Amino acid sequence: MSEESKTLGAGGETIVANIADIVVIKAIRYWLDTAPEANKGWLGALKDPKIGKALTAIHAHPELDWTLDSLAAQIGMSRSGFSARFTDVIGTSAKQYLTE
């Protein structure tokens, strides 16, 4: 990146910008994989295959009238299992999350 920015040949600015993007993405990925804080709250929940899928559905379609039953059905879990797992992973109940 340093060499490219010194010479700035044809397309050099694009190369430097793309390398910078890659460095930032790699740093964020490293943090997500290693930092204990990244395993808590909604960030940690995104890593959970079931709860992450539920969060994706909620945020992709906030206009829908989501319920515990509809979310549990969406991800193939029982209502009670989903509710317990959501609370354990997120730190708040699914009902509270939907309300907020």
Side-chain angles (χ1 to χ4, degrees), residues 2 7-8 11-12 20 23 25-26 33 40-41 43 59-60 63 65 74-75 77 82-84 86 88 91:
S2 175
T7 59
L8 276 183
V23 169
I25 291 167
K26 293 290 271 179
D33 289 341
K40 298 177 183 172
L43 265 180
H59 291 282
E63 75 282 1
D65 187 21
Q74 174 92 12
I75 62 172
M77 291 184 75
F82 168 71
S83 182
F86 192 98
D88 185 50

Side-chain angles (χ1 to χ4, degrees), residues 19-99:
I19 291 172
D21 287 344
I22 291 168
V23 169
V24 169
I25 291 167
K26 293 290 271 179
I28 292 169
R29 186 183 290 170
Y30 177 80
W31 182 81
L32 288 170
D33 289 341
T34 60
E37 302 86 21
N39 292 318
K40 298 177 183 172
W42 66 269
L43 265 180
L46 290 174
K47 294 179 184 179
D48 184 283
K50 296 287 189 176
I51 303 306
K53 189 175 176 181
L55 287 177
T56 299
I58 292 167
H59 291 282
H61 299 286
E63 75 282 1
L64 296 179
D65 187 21
W66 291 109
T67 65
L68 290 179
D69 289 327
S70 65
L71 282 168
Q74 174 92 12
I75 62 172
M77 291 184 75
S78 70
R79 181 178 188 229
S80 61
F82 168 71
S83 182
R85 186 165 175 171
F86 192 98
T87 301
D88 185 50
V89 172
I90 296 278
T92 189
S93 71
K95 208 171 194 179
Q96 183 65 36
Y97 189 89
L98 288 168
T99 301

